[in-house]
Amino acid sequence: AEDCQVVNSLRAMAARGRSLRKCERVLQLMYFKQYGTEASGSLIHPHMQICSLPIVSRSLERRLQDHKDFFDLHGCTGVQKLYVDDVTGGNSISVARLVHQTEHFVASVPFAQVPRGRIIVAPKRHCPRFEDSTEDELKDLGRLLRLLLASLYRSKDDPSYNLFWESAPTAHAFADDEEREEVE
């Protein structure tokens, strides 16, 4: 795929996400791409999807609590500290995790033991919801994803993979503005 095809796909997903989140029944959006026969998808061909859920999943609730606890302890978001600042800073151990950096994103491998092959792409600007990414960020992300996936294709002989975008719950998921602001 060309950069413009990837960017157009990201634009379409973001636009659809903005539309879906207006529905009061939609509390969580899950964005993902599946590629290859071993990607555990229901469709054989490569595809990107958005799932809208009428609940906030327990796994997202746990991650949100972990993010809140991290913020309370460190005064910044875990994504900013662990996947942007540490990886692009002067600490040689953390910098060794850097895969690639662009104007708007940092791609790195996680510090903790996780399944092999995981790469985390973190935004440099705090943006709790994927669908709120700017046009420049979507273009930059498209180029970065194309670079990462081309490298994966060449180095691992066209493997199956899954991409997931983590995104905060929609505004309808919160009891009040104070609770929503805590997450954002």
Side-chain angles (χ1 to χ4, degrees):
E2 297 293 321
D3 284 352
C4 64
Q5 291 174 309
V6 176
V7 173
N8 284 339
S9 294
L10 295 174
R11 278 188 196 120
M13 286 179 54
R16 186 65 180 138
R18 287 189 298 274
S19 178
L20 285 168
R21 75 179 180 193
K22 292 176 185 175
C23 179
E24 289 184 22
R25 294 174 304 181
V26 175
L27 303 185
Q28 180 181 343
L29 295 171
M30 295 173 54
Y31 301 88
F32 60 95
K33 175 185 170 111
Q34 294 178 312
Y35 176 86
T37 57
E38 297 173 17
S40 301
S42 58
L43 303 173
I44 296 171
H45 63 278
H47 60 282
M48 297 174 105
Q49 287 183 285
I50 305 171
C51 288
S52 61
L53 301 176
I55 61 165
V56 176
S57 66
R58 286 198 175 130
S59 63
L60 182 55
E61 285 177 342
R62 281 191 302 271
R63 283 195 307 279
L64 289 171
Q65 186 59 53
D66 290 346
H67 286 297
K68 183 182 178 317
D69 293 346
F70 189 96
F71 189 88
D72 291 346
L73 186 63
H74 298 281
C76 64
T77 67
V79 171
Q80 182 70 38
K81 169 103 174 83
L82 302 173
Y83 299 116
V84 177
D85 295 345
D86 285 359
V87 175
T88 60
N91 181 331
S92 62
I93 293 173
S94 295
V95 171
R97 298 178 13 236
L98 179 66
V99 174
H100 192 77
Q101 180 177 189
T102 67
E103 180 181 354
H104 298 285
F105 295 92
V106 175
S108 65
V109 293
F111 178 75
Q113 186 177 14
V114 294
R116 288 177 41 129
R118 180 172 289 184
I119 296 174
I120 306 242
V121 176
K124 290 183 176 178
R125 176 180 73 90
H126 177 68
C127 182
R129 293 181 186 85
F130 167 73
E131 63 270 18
D132 292 330
S133 300
T134 67
E135 176 66 16
D136 285 343
E137 288 168 335
L138 292 174
K139 287 179 182 177
D140 195 38
L141 180 59
R143 287 188 298 268
L144 177 59
L145 287 176
R146 210 155 154 252
L147 173 73
L148 294 172
L149 295 175
S151 298
L152 181 66
Y153 179 89
R154 285 191 293 279
S155 67
K156 301 291 184 183
D157 193 26
D158 193 19
S160 297
Y161 62 82
N162 291 297
L163 295 178
F164 295 97
W165 285 256
E166 281 199 2
S167 199
T170 67
H172 305 295
F174 304 104
D176 54 43
D177 288 341
E178 184 178 320
E179 184 183 20
R180 181 183 50 78
E181 288 172 9
E182 267 188 16
V183 169
E184 293 178 351

